[in-house]
Short mmCIF file of all heavy atoms in Angstrom, two decimals:
data_model
loop_
_atom_site.label_atom_id
_atom_site.label_comp_id
_atom_site.label_asym_id
_atom_site.label_seq_id
_atom_site.Cartn_x
_atom_site.Cartn_y
_atom_site.Cartn_z
N PRO X 202 143.02 10.93 -21.71
CA PRO X 202 141.69 11.21 -21.17
C PRO X 202 140.60 11.34 -22.22
O PRO X 202 139.43 11.05 -21.94
CB PRO X 202 141.90 12.53 -20.41
CG PRO X 202 143.32 12.46 -19.96
CD PRO X 202 144.05 11.82 -21.12
N ASN X 203 140.96 11.75 -23.46
CA ASN X 203 139.95 11.87 -24.50
C ASN X 203 139.66 10.55 -25.20
O ASN X 203 138.86 10.49 -26.13
CB ASN X 203 140.37 12.92 -25.54
CG ASN X 203 141.66 12.55 -26.26
OD1 ASN X 203 142.20 11.45 -26.07
ND2 ASN X 203 142.14 13.45 -27.10
N GLY X 204 140.29 9.47 -24.75
CA GLY X 204 140.02 8.15 -25.30
C GLY X 204 140.96 7.71 -26.39
O GLY X 204 140.95 6.53 -26.78
N ILE X 205 141.80 8.59 -26.90
CA ILE X 205 142.74 8.23 -27.96
C ILE X 205 143.86 7.37 -27.36
O ILE X 205 144.44 7.70 -26.33
CB ILE X 205 143.33 9.48 -28.64
CG1 ILE X 205 142.22 10.17 -29.46
CG2 ILE X 205 144.51 9.13 -29.53
CD1 ILE X 205 142.67 11.44 -30.15
N LYS X 206 144.16 6.28 -28.06
CA LYS X 206 145.22 5.37 -27.61
C LYS X 206 146.54 5.78 -28.28
O LYS X 206 146.63 5.86 -29.50
CB LYS X 206 144.85 3.92 -27.95
CG LYS X 206 143.59 3.46 -27.22
CD LYS X 206 143.29 2.01 -27.49
CE LYS X 206 142.01 1.56 -26.79
NZ LYS X 206 142.08 1.73 -25.33
N LEU X 207 147.55 6.01 -27.46
CA LEU X 207 148.80 6.61 -27.92
C LEU X 207 149.99 5.69 -27.69
O LEU X 207 150.13 5.07 -26.64
CB LEU X 207 149.02 7.93 -27.15
CG LEU X 207 150.39 8.60 -27.30
CD1 LEU X 207 150.55 9.18 -28.70
CD2 LEU X 207 150.56 9.70 -26.25
N GLY X 208 150.87 5.65 -28.69
CA GLY X 208 152.15 4.96 -28.56
C GLY X 208 153.26 5.94 -28.91
O GLY X 208 153.04 6.87 -29.69
N VAL X 209 154.43 5.76 -28.32
CA VAL X 209 155.56 6.64 -28.63
C VAL X 209 156.81 5.81 -28.90
O VAL X 209 156.96 4.69 -28.39
CB VAL X 209 155.85 7.64 -27.47
CG1 VAL X 209 154.66 8.55 -27.25
CG2 VAL X 209 156.22 6.91 -26.19
N VAL X 210 157.70 6.37 -29.70
CA VAL X 210 159.02 5.79 -29.93
C VAL X 210 160.03 6.95 -30.00
O VAL X 210 159.64 8.12 -30.08
CB VAL X 210 159.10 4.95 -31.22
CG1 VAL X 210 158.21 3.73 -31.12
CG2 VAL X 210 158.73 5.79 -32.44
N ILE X 211 161.31 6.61 -29.98
CA ILE X 211 162.35 7.62 -30.03
C ILE X 211 163.28 7.37 -31.21
O ILE X 211 163.86 6.29 -31.33
CB ILE X 211 163.17 7.65 -28.73
CG1 ILE X 211 162.27 7.94 -27.52
CG2 ILE X 211 164.29 8.69 -28.80
CD1 ILE X 211 162.98 7.85 -26.18
N CYS X 212 163.39 8.35 -32.06
CA CYS X 212 164.36 8.41 -33.15
C CYS X 212 164.57 7.08 -33.86
O CYS X 212 163.76 6.66 -34.66
CB CYS X 212 165.68 8.98 -32.63
SG CYS X 212 166.77 9.63 -33.92
N MET X 213 165.69 6.38 -33.58
CA MET X 213 166.03 5.19 -34.35
C MET X 213 164.99 4.09 -34.26
O MET X 213 164.90 3.24 -35.14
CB MET X 213 167.39 4.65 -33.91
CG MET X 213 167.91 3.54 -34.82
SD MET X 213 169.51 2.93 -34.30
CE MET X 213 169.60 1.46 -35.32
N ASP X 214 164.19 4.08 -33.20
CA ASP X 214 163.11 3.09 -33.12
C ASP X 214 162.24 3.15 -34.38
O ASP X 214 161.71 2.14 -34.84
CB ASP X 214 162.22 3.36 -31.90
CG ASP X 214 162.94 3.14 -30.59
OD1 ASP X 214 163.83 2.28 -30.53
OD2 ASP X 214 162.60 3.84 -29.62
N SER X 215 162.09 4.36 -34.92
CA SER X 215 161.21 4.54 -36.07
C SER X 215 161.83 4.03 -37.37
O SER X 215 161.16 3.98 -38.40
CB SER X 215 160.84 6.03 -36.25
OG SER X 215 162.00 6.80 -36.54
N GLU X 216 163.11 3.64 -37.34
CA GLU X 216 163.75 3.05 -38.52
C GLU X 216 163.20 1.67 -38.81
O GLU X 216 163.37 1.14 -39.91
CB GLU X 216 165.26 2.95 -38.30
CG GLU X 216 165.98 4.27 -38.13
CD GLU X 216 166.49 4.82 -39.43
OE1 GLU X 216 166.44 4.09 -40.43
OE2 GLU X 216 166.94 5.97 -39.46
N PHE X 217 162.56 1.06 -37.82
CA PHE X 217 162.11 -0.32 -37.95
C PHE X 217 160.58 -0.37 -37.99
O PHE X 217 159.92 -0.03 -37.00
CB PHE X 217 162.64 -1.14 -36.77
CG PHE X 217 164.13 -1.07 -36.64
CD1 PHE X 217 164.71 -0.17 -35.75
CD2 PHE X 217 164.96 -1.84 -37.44
CE1 PHE X 217 166.09 -0.07 -35.64
CE2 PHE X 217 166.33 -1.74 -37.35
CZ PHE X 217 166.90 -0.86 -36.45
N PRO X 218 160.02 -0.80 -39.12
CA PRO X 218 158.55 -0.82 -39.24
C PRO X 218 157.88 -1.70 -38.21
O PRO X 218 156.72 -1.48 -37.86
CB PRO X 218 158.33 -1.33 -40.67
CG PRO X 218 159.59 -2.05 -41.04
CD PRO X 218 160.69 -1.30 -40.33
N GLU X 219 158.61 -2.70 -37.70
CA GLU X 219 158.00 -3.58 -36.71
C GLU X 219 157.55 -2.81 -35.46
O GLU X 219 156.56 -3.19 -34.83
CB GLU X 219 158.99 -4.68 -36.29
CG GLU X 219 159.33 -5.67 -37.39
CD GLU X 219 160.60 -5.29 -38.14
OE1 GLU X 219 161.00 -4.12 -38.07
OE2 GLU X 219 161.16 -6.18 -38.80
N CYS X 220 158.29 -1.76 -35.10
CA CYS X 220 157.92 -0.99 -33.90
C CYS X 220 156.54 -0.37 -34.07
O CYS X 220 155.70 -0.43 -33.17
CB CYS X 220 158.96 0.09 -33.65
SG CYS X 220 160.61 -0.53 -33.27
N MET X 221 156.32 0.23 -35.24
CA MET X 221 155.02 0.86 -35.50
C MET X 221 153.92 -0.21 -35.61
O MET X 221 152.81 -0.03 -35.12
CB MET X 221 155.08 1.67 -36.79
CG MET X 221 156.20 2.69 -36.82
SD MET X 221 156.13 3.84 -35.43
CE MET X 221 157.53 4.88 -35.81
N ARG X 222 154.27 -1.31 -36.27
CA ARG X 222 153.29 -2.38 -36.45
C ARG X 222 152.84 -2.93 -35.10
O ARG X 222 151.64 -3.16 -34.87
CB ARG X 222 153.90 -3.50 -37.30
CG ARG X 222 152.93 -4.67 -37.56
CD ARG X 222 153.60 -5.78 -38.35
NE ARG X 222 154.07 -5.31 -39.63
CZ ARG X 222 155.33 -5.44 -40.05
NH1 ARG X 222 156.23 -5.99 -39.26
NH2 ARG X 222 155.68 -5.01 -41.24
N LEU X 223 153.80 -3.14 -34.19
CA LEU X 223 153.46 -3.70 -32.89
C LEU X 223 152.57 -2.76 -32.08
O LEU X 223 151.62 -3.19 -31.43
CB LEU X 223 154.74 -4.03 -32.11
CG LEU X 223 155.51 -5.25 -32.61
CD1 LEU X 223 156.88 -5.32 -31.97
CD2 LEU X 223 154.72 -6.52 -32.33
N LEU X 224 152.88 -1.47 -32.12
CA LEU X 224 152.04 -0.50 -31.42
C LEU X 224 150.62 -0.50 -32.00
O LEU X 224 149.64 -0.44 -31.26
CB LEU X 224 152.65 0.89 -31.49
CG LEU X 224 153.90 1.11 -30.64
CD1 LEU X 224 154.53 2.47 -30.95
CD2 LEU X 224 153.56 1.02 -29.15
#
Side-chain angles (χ1 to χ4, degrees):
N203 62 5
I205 291 178
K206 297 184 181 301
L207 170 70
V209 298
V210 295
I211 301 175
C212 200
M213 189 179 168
D214 294 328
S215 64
E216 296 268 351
F217 305 97
E219 293 95 341
C220 296
M221 306 303 182
R222 180 183 301 125
L223 287 168
L224 287 172

